[in-house]
Amino acid sequence: MFSCVPRSLKCCTNALGSKRALPYVQTQLSEIVAPSTSLCRTYHEVTGNIICPNMVRGIDHLRDPRLNKGLAFTLEERQALGIHGLLAAKFKSQEEQLDICRISIDRYEDNLNKYLYLIELQDRNEKLFFRLLSENVEKYLPIVYTPTVGLACQRFGLIYRRPRGLFITINDKGHIFNILKNWPEPDVRAIVFTDGERILGLGDLGAYGMGIPVGKLSLYTALAGIKPHQCLPITLDVGTDNQDLLEDPLYIGLRQRRVRGKEYDEFIDEFMEACVQRYGQNTLLQFEDFALINAGRLLQKYRNKYCTFNDDIQGTASVAVAGLMAAVRVTKRKLGENIYLFLGAGSASNGIANLIVAAMMSEGLTERQARERVYMFDVDGLLSTRREGGVPEHAKAFGKDIEPEKDFEACVAKIKPSCLIGCSTVGGAFTPNVLKQMAKNIERPVIFALSNPTSKAECTAQDAYDHTEGRCIFASGSPFPPVQYNGKEYLTGQGNNSYIFPGIALGVIATATHHIPETMFLTAARTLANYVSEADLALGRIYPSLAEVKDVSLAIAIEVAKMAYDEGLASVYPEPKDITKHIENQMYNYNYESSMPVVWDWKPEEKFNVRPIQPVPKNI
């Protein structure tokens, strides 16, 4: 696929090199687009898996991150591709390049600088970036995603270098399909999009929120092998209510207040319709970091119409429930034998609570019995039907007919929860007294401080152990250093959504699933919980090591694919005889491949007595 230069200007290398042709081309280009705003290139752009070597100029192999191998190009490749002399004489394998990358990134002390190094690596050598990330998940996941991605979003106007994905603004309403057509890749299978209103625990970052879909889709590839050309990050820019950003000279988005109401809803409707019109009904559309006012209602509106899910609601729920399932092996208490208290009653809390209810019902409880075991506490106190203002509409299923209470510590003492789950984005909300009360409530309290980034966590891992006499089972949304308690070291679990959404996406894409039911996330949770070993539990963590997340993603994808066929949700037919092999065949290859054209021999021609050429008769 070529760049967006008109067909009349797509000329061969020789023509572009001509002294007479070049000024003409430059003049024509300047009349089409202003040089300062054009993203067009006059050379070949690789599209997905489609690479025709004789259509790619030599230097394009170095300019295009999908083709570039740096010094790993062999002598034969350098000579055949026309890049001999453009590279230093030394040949370096991909493994040697990986070592250089590790050394280079370790020289940076600041995590934001490490983030920038990795992003720039992705810009110049795609396979090297994804292999580095996929083989060093524990080390680099906190850099390309939480918590460093939060800082990157806050500084996005400063670090923004080149386009990666699409910015679609409210001013483009009525023309969204036209913008999607501008994306040069036709084989998009997954779109992660945000409107930037609730970025992690940082709030409204507007267009700066683009760092989140970019980071998520990097993990699609690094952790689940989804091909990068199949992924498209999008920011829906409807303005921002963040006054600091509106006054920020570096801000790159629309400098206006957020559009809401009917105009906003029509904009989202048009976006969803345009995506399936452009890429097909089975395109995976992942909502990311939408605020409470929109997240739940948009999920309910679209979940039965599109192949869609909300990672903050359903991905968070799945990974949290997986942790609770794994904790059962330590506490010896069934899920239905716990009392759950949530700090925060937003979309994440409701997502987790609803999936916990589904899990308890699978143990034999009725829906009413399961919901009776779940309590929530928000900014106005315990969710009680007797409190002034009642229970918010989005959380009515978990309101209780009990006395109102605005003191969280008093609630922990009165309700006596065995599981305390924080989704409040209030750093330090699980105070020493709250933690000590949890230790009084039950022998092995479960404490989840899930808010991101680290500064917003309800408590640290060390605090949780220190104030529960080392008896707690702890998990957090962002990573914490190992805990030292009573001479023993504990490696606490990180309830990171990256255990869930890459595997879900891989299974859905591989089977062209057209809808994603809630039970699919319960299946993913069980698969993840089953992956936790006894050795993990002995170390204090209820999730497997992040080093195993690629294996976890494949396991989840396989179970999701099986479920898709069992429930008639898949549209890849005939059903593969070997689901595992089918999925693995579609996964990204992180290793360098030959840049030479594929050549093959023909079988020898058959022998025939060929007549000699006869002169053409003169009368013809």
Side-chain angles (χ1 to χ4, degrees):
M1 178 176 175
F2 287 85
S3 62
C4 49
V5 179
R7 180 173 298 180
S8 61
L9 298 181
K10 290 173 186 171
C11 37
C12 67
T13 306
N14 291 337
L16 285 176
S18 162
K19 291 182 179 180
R20 287 188 297 175
L22 190 55
Y24 171 77
V25 172
Q26 291 172 335
T27 301
Q28 295 301 309
L29 283 173
S30 66
E31 293 176 0
I32 299 165
V33 285
S36 60
T37 59
S38 172
L39 301 180
C40 300
R41 306 202 301 187
T42 57
Y43 53 88
H44 184 272
E45 182 87 43
V46 174
T47 301
N49 293 327
I50 304 169
I51 302 175
C52 184
N54 66 333
M55 294 294 291
V56 184
R57 289 191 309 168
I59 191 137
D60 294 350
H61 286 272
L62 304 180
R63 285 174 167 169
D64 196 311
R66 300 185 190 184
L67 300 178
N68 185 27
K69 299 193 290 187
L71 294 178
F73 283 105
T74 66
L75 180 60
E76 181 187 25
E77 288 174 333
R78 296 181 190 198
Q79 293 174 346
L81 299 175
I83 56 175
H84 193 55
L86 300 179
L87 297 167
K90 179 64 178 175
F91 301 96
K92 287 187 180 292
S93 66
Q94 191 177 23
E95 288 70 25
E96 290 176 297
Q97 291 176 332
L98 288 170
D99 289 338
I100 294 171
C101 289
R102 294 187 190 101
I103 293 169
S104 297
I105 196 170
D106 286 345
R107 294 181 66 247
Y108 294 104
E109 295 183 2
D110 184 78
N111 281 344
L112 186 58
N113 286 333
K114 293 181 179 182
Y115 174 89
L116 290 174
Y117 175 87
L118 289 170
I119 291 300
E120 288 167 0
L121 176 62
Q122 186 177 7
D123 285 346
R124 71 175 184 270
N125 189 325
E126 197 169 77
K127 282 188 178 288
L128 192 61
F129 166 78
F130 283 118
R131 184 169 171 189
L132 178 69
L133 182 55
S134 68
E135 293 182 0
N136 301 270
V137 176
E138 286 185 292
K139 186 174 183 179
Y140 299 133
L141 182 62
I143 303 298
V144 298
Y145 201 57
T146 56
T148 306
V149 72
L151 179 60
C153 287
Q154 291 175 304
R155 304 285 187 272
F156 204 75
L158 182 64
I159 67 175
Y160 181 75
R161 296 290 183 272
R162 67 178 287 273
R164 183 183 308 257
L166 293 173
F167 290 88
I168 303 176
T169 76
I170 191 68
N171 295 334
D172 301 312
K173 188 167 172 280
H175 305 280
I176 295 178
F177 181 69
N178 294 43
I179 296 177
L180 290 176
K181 289 194 297 183
N182 288 342
W183 188 247
E185 174 55 58
D187 187 27
V188 170
R189 309 286 182 87
I191 296 174
V192 175
F193 61 100
T194 184
D195 71 352
E197 190 171 6
R198 192 209 63 92
I199 299 299
L200 302 176
L202 302 171
D204 186 350
L205 295 186
Y208 279 3
M210 179 57 111
I212 297 298
V214 168
K216 286 274 185 180
L217 289 171
S218 293
L219 300 186
Y220 266 41
T221 302
L223 306 185
I226 297 169
K227 295 172 182 176
H229 75 270
Q230 296 177 341
C231 303
L232 172 57
I234 294 179
T235 289
L236 301 176
D237 188 353
V238 297
T240 178
D241 290 333
N242 186 328
Q243 189 65 31
D244 287 341
L245 293 184
L246 292 172
E247 298 173 0
D248 179 2
L250 299 178
Y251 187 56
I252 61 173
L254 289 181
R255 210 174 293 273
Q256 66 176 51
R257 297 288 178 185
R258 279 190 173 272
V259 172
R260 300 191 185 278
K262 182 180 179 183
E263 186 178 2
Y264 175 88
D265 287 353
E266 289 175 347
F267 179 64
I268 301 297
D269 281 343
E270 182 187 346
F271 171 74
M272 300 294 281
E273 292 170 6
C275 287
V276 299
Q277 182 183 357
R278 176 73 176 92
Y279 299 115
Q281 187 65 47
N282 295 330
T283 308
L284 174 59
L285 300 169
Q286 178 182 326
F287 284 84
E288 192 64 40
D289 285 355
F290 280 70
L292 174 62
I293 190 174
N294 292 316
R297 72 179 186 87
L298 291 178
L299 177 61
Q300 292 304 318
K301 181 177 182 179
Y302 296 122
R303 67 189 309 167
N304 295 321
K305 298 179 181 179
Y306 296 92
C307 177
T308 188
F309 73 95
N310 185 309
D311 187 49
D312 306 297
I313 298 175
Q314 297 165 289
T316 301
S318 188
V319 76
V321 170
L324 294 171
M325 288 175 170
V328 166
R329 291 156 58 186
V330 179
T331 64
K332 309 304 180 185
R333 301 189 302 268
K334 291 183 178 180
L335 294 177
E337 294 172 350
N338 287 309
I339 299 294
Y340 304 88
L341 175 60
F342 286 81
L343 180 60
S347 54
S349 291
N350 276 271
I352 297 170
N354 281 315
L355 202 61
I356 288 174
V357 168
M360 287 192 283
M361 289 172 65
S362 70
E363 290 182 343
L365 271 65
T366 65
E367 182 177 352
R368 181 177 179 181
Q369 290 172 330
R371 292 192 183 277
E372 285 175 349
R373 307 189 76 80
V374 179
Y375 296 79
M376 289 188 181
F377 190 102
D378 67 6
V379 68
D380 295 317
L382 186 65
L383 260 61
S384 165
T385 55
R386 303 181 196 176
R387 76 180 188 180
E388 187 177 350
V391 178
E393 186 64 33
H394 66 270
K396 280 194 177 297
F398 299 104
K400 299 289 189 293
D401 183 19
I402 54 179
E403 285 299 315
E405 178 58 71
K406 292 192 175 183
D407 186 323
F408 184 63
E409 184 181 331
C411 262
V412 176
K414 180 180 179 181
I415 296 172
K416 292 184 169 33
S418 52
C419 296
L420 189 61
I421 302 174
C423 301
S424 66
T425 70
V426 179
F430 292 169
T431 63
N433 286 341
V434 167
L435 296 170
K436 289 175 183 176
Q437 182 60 52
M438 285 297 295
K440 292 178 183 177
N441 290 348
I442 200 156
E443 178 63 24
R444 298 302 301 269
V446 176
I447 298 169
F448 284 6
L450 299 180
S451 293
N452 289 315
T454 309
S455 61
K456 302 290 184 179
E458 286 74 13
C459 69
T460 67
Q462 189 68 55
D463 284 344
Y465 274 79
D466 287 345
H467 299 300
T468 60
E469 301 171 351
R471 292 187 279 114
C472 73
I473 299 167
F474 179 83
S476 57
S478 288
F480 279 103
V483 170
Q484 305 293 332
Y485 187 84
N486 267 358
K488 185 176 178 180
E489 183 175 86
Y490 296 91
L491 303 177
T492 59
Q494 183 186 354
N496 195 307
N497 292 18
S498 58
Y499 282 111
I500 297 294
F501 69 80
I504 291 270
L506 177 59
V508 166
I509 291 171
T511 56
T513 292
H514 50 76
H515 292 92
I516 305 175
E518 197 71 13
T519 47
M520 201 167 271
F521 290 92
L522 194 57
T523 295
R526 288 197 184 98
T527 305
L528 175 56
N530 291 337
Y531 226 89
V532 180
S533 67
E534 292 301 320
D536 290 322
L537 297 175
L539 289 172
R541 64 188 178 201
I542 51 177
Y543 296 102
S545 164
L546 280 171
E548 299 178 75
V549 70
K550 286 170 60 181
D551 296 330
V552 171
S553 294
L554 179 58
I556 288 175
I558 292 168
E559 294 305 314
V560 163
K562 290 177 180 176
M563 180 181 176
Y565 280 108
D566 289 344
E567 299 196 6
L569 299 170
S571 52
V572 170
Y573 292 103
E575 179 178 345
K577 295 180 180 179
D578 187 334
I579 290 286
T580 301
K581 185 176 180 181
H582 170 71
I583 292 174
E584 289 176 340
N585 286 343
Q586 298 185 58
M587 293 173 68
Y588 182 64
N589 180 8
Y590 303 99
N591 300 302
Y592 290 150
E593 299 173 88
S594 173
S595 300
M596 299 296 289
V598 176
V599 297
W600 57 93
D601 292 326
W602 284 6
K603 65 180 181 180
E605 289 186 334
E606 295 182 37
K607 300 293 185 180
F608 291 95
N609 292 322
V610 180
R611 297 189 303 273
I613 298 176
Q614 299 294 327
V616 178
K618 293 182 179 180
N619 60 345
I620 293 180

